[in-house]
Amino acid sequence: MKRRQFLKSSGLISGGIYASNIHAIAGIIAAKSEFTMKKLRGNTGIFTEKGGTIGWLISSDQVVVIDAQFPEQAGHLIKQIKSRTSHPVDVLFNTHHHGDHTSGNIAFKGFASKIVAQENSRINQMKSAKSRGTESKQLYPDVIFQTSWKTKVGNEPVKAYYFGPAHTNGDSVIHLENENIAHVGDLVFNRRFPYIDMAAGACIKNWIMVLEKIQQTFDKDTLFIFGHALDPKAVTGNNEDLKAMGNYLIKLLTYMQKEIKNGKSLDELLKTNSIPGAEDWKGNGIERSIKSAWQELTMES
Ligand SMILES: [Zn+2]
Ligand SMILES: [Zn+2]
C-alpha cells in the first residue's frame, strides 16, 4: 500500500488516531471506519462513531448496550463485543426514538435478548418508520415502561427512568447502578445547540425541570453520558454539565420571551448568533432552538 493511501485508510490524514485505526496501523484490519471504544469505569465505556453516543457494559457474563446508532456502526460495536465475550447482549436500551440512536437496533436482531424503551419512544419509533417507509429496517423495542423499569444484569442493577417530556416526549435515563454511570441520551447536547423535536412532543420548559430532577436523582459522583457534544471528547461529564444545559434552555426562553415582547419577528430572531448568558453553547443549528422556543412561547399566548 502506498504511504498516502495507507495514511488515508488509517485515518491519520482526515482526523485523529482512533482506537480502531491502531489496528489498521498494525496491519490487522484495513479500517475504513473511525470508531472509538473508550473505557469509563470498571467494565463500562462508550462507543462513538456516527450518531448518538452509545454506552456499554461488557464482561464475560453480562452485556448491556444503551443506544444503537446506525446499522453499520452497530455492526462495528457488535464485532467489538464478540471479541471481548461470548455472552450475547442481555439488554439493549433506546434512550429515545431518533434514528441516530435506534436505526442500529436491527443489527442486534437475534443477538440482544430484549430491547427496552419508554412507551412514547416506541410509539414515536413506529410512527417515524411508517412515515419514512422504513418499517422493515426497524427493530422495535419489545419491553416498554411508563415511569421506570429495573433489572439486574449479572451483579449490576440497571434502572431506566422517565422524567417527562423534554427533547422529545419519550426520553429516558439509563443508570448502571454499581458503576454509577447514567446515560441521559439527548437530554444533554453538551455545549452544542440542541435539536428540539416539537413534532414528537418536546417541551423546553419541562426539559429544564427534567434536568433538575436528574440532578436530584443522581449524585456528584455520577458519570453522565451525553448523546452529543460540540467537542467529541466531551460526551461524558458531571452534574455541572447538566446544570449548564439547564442554563442554556433557561436563557433561551428568557431571551426569546423578552424579544417577542419587544415585537421582534421570527425572521429577525433567526439572525441571532448566540444566546445571551449561555454563550458557551455553540455550533450549527441555533435556528432550531429559536424556532422551537418561538413555537412553544407563541402557542401559549
Ligand atoms: Zn441524537
Ligand atoms: Zn435525539
Side-chain angles (χ1 to χ4, degrees):
M1 194 188 279
K2 287 205 176 90
R3 180 165 166 80
R4 191 174 163 79
Q5 196 187 344
F6 169 78
L7 288 173
K8 209 170 177 186
S9 68
S10 64
L12 291 172
I13 287 177
S14 57
I17 301 171
Y18 295 86
S20 63
N21 291 320
I22 288 166
H23 293 138
I25 292 159
I28 298 165
I29 49 166
K32 273 184 266 147
S33 59
E34 293 181 342
F35 62 81
T36 57
M37 286 285 283
K38 185 185 171 194
K39 218 174 153 186
L40 296 177
R41 292 176 181 159
N43 295 317
T44 69
I46 50 170
F47 171 98
T48 49
E49 184 176 356
K50 184 180 150 196
T53 316
I54 295 177
W56 50 258
L57 166 71
I58 305 169
S59 77
S60 58
D61 60 351
Q62 49 179 179
V63 180
V64 177
V65 175
I66 308 163
D67 282 346
Q69 295 191 353
F70 300 95
E72 190 189 338
Q73 284 65 41
H76 297 154
L77 172 62
I78 289 168
K79 228 174 172 178
Q80 291 295 310
I81 295 170
K82 287 182 172 169
S83 73
R84 287 162 160 82
T85 178
S86 56
H87 197 77
V89 176
D90 297 289
V91 195
L92 166 65
F93 287 96
N94 288 153
T95 59
H96 65 298
H97 75 286
H98 285 150
D100 60 316
H101 300 255
T102 64
S103 300
N105 281 2
I106 193 87
F108 288 88
K109 198 171 184 176
F111 186 52
S113 308
K114 50 172 107 49
I115 305 179
V116 180
Q118 205 275 339
E119 61 177 1
N120 295 336
S121 160
R122 182 168 74 173
I123 293 169
N124 292 337
Q125 221 178 105
M126 288 173 162
K127 266 195 209 159
S128 138
K130 207 170 178 186
S131 72
R132 287 169 197 219
T134 55
E135 283 167 297
S136 61
K137 292 183 187 153
Q138 198 69 28
L139 184 62
Y140 300 120
D142 49 6
V143 176
I144 54 164
F145 65 93
Q146 287 184 317
T147 53
S148 70
W149 186 86
K150 197 167 176 175
T151 190
K152 210 167 176 197
V153 179
N155 60 356
E156 182 90 23
V158 185
K159 190 170 177 182
Y161 297 79
Y162 176 62
F163 297 107
H167 164 72
T168 68
N169 63 0
D171 310 285
S172 52
V173 177
I174 317 301
H175 190 214
L176 304 170
E177 294 188 351
N178 289 347
E179 310 294 354
N180 199 6
I181 305 267
H183 195 319
V184 299
D186 283 1
L187 292 170
V188 174
F189 276 68
N190 197 13
R191 272 77 184 177
R192 172 178 172 181
F193 296 124
Y195 178 46
I196 306 172
D197 194 347
M198 303 304 275
C203 177
I204 303 169
K205 269 188 191 154
N206 208 64
W207 191 342
I208 294 163
M209 281 172 2
V210 165
L211 288 166
E212 277 166 16
K213 280 185 209 160
I214 296 171
Q215 290 172 69
Q216 287 154 16
T217 305
F218 305 104
D219 56 48
K220 63 175 182 2
D221 296 322
T222 308
L223 179 57
F224 293 98
I225 301 174
F226 311 133
H228 306 275
L230 187 67
D231 173 357
K233 291 191 288 297
V235 289
T236 58
N238 58 27
N239 247 322
E240 292 303 313
D241 300 306
L242 294 183
K243 220 180 273 174
M245 180 77 208
N247 176 65
Y248 170 76
L249 297 172
I250 290 167
K251 295 289 154 59
L252 169 67
L253 286 184
T254 309
Y255 168 73
M256 289 294 291
Q257 217 151 16
K258 192 176 134 216
E259 296 302 328
I260 290 169
K261 226 176 174 179
N262 288 341
K264 286 259 178 79
S265 69
L266 178 58
D267 278 347
E268 282 173 297
L269 286 167
L270 282 170
K271 289 175 191 140
T272 307
N273 292 320
S274 72
I275 303 301
E279 288 84 359
D280 48 345
W281 252 251
K282 294 178 180 141
N284 297 322
I286 191 173
E287 67 280 358
R288 296 179 308 214
S289 287
I290 303 289
K291 278 184 195 160
S292 302
W294 174 276
Q295 194 181 332
E296 188 167 314
L297 292 167
T298 55
M299 255 174 11
E300 281 171 5
S301 55

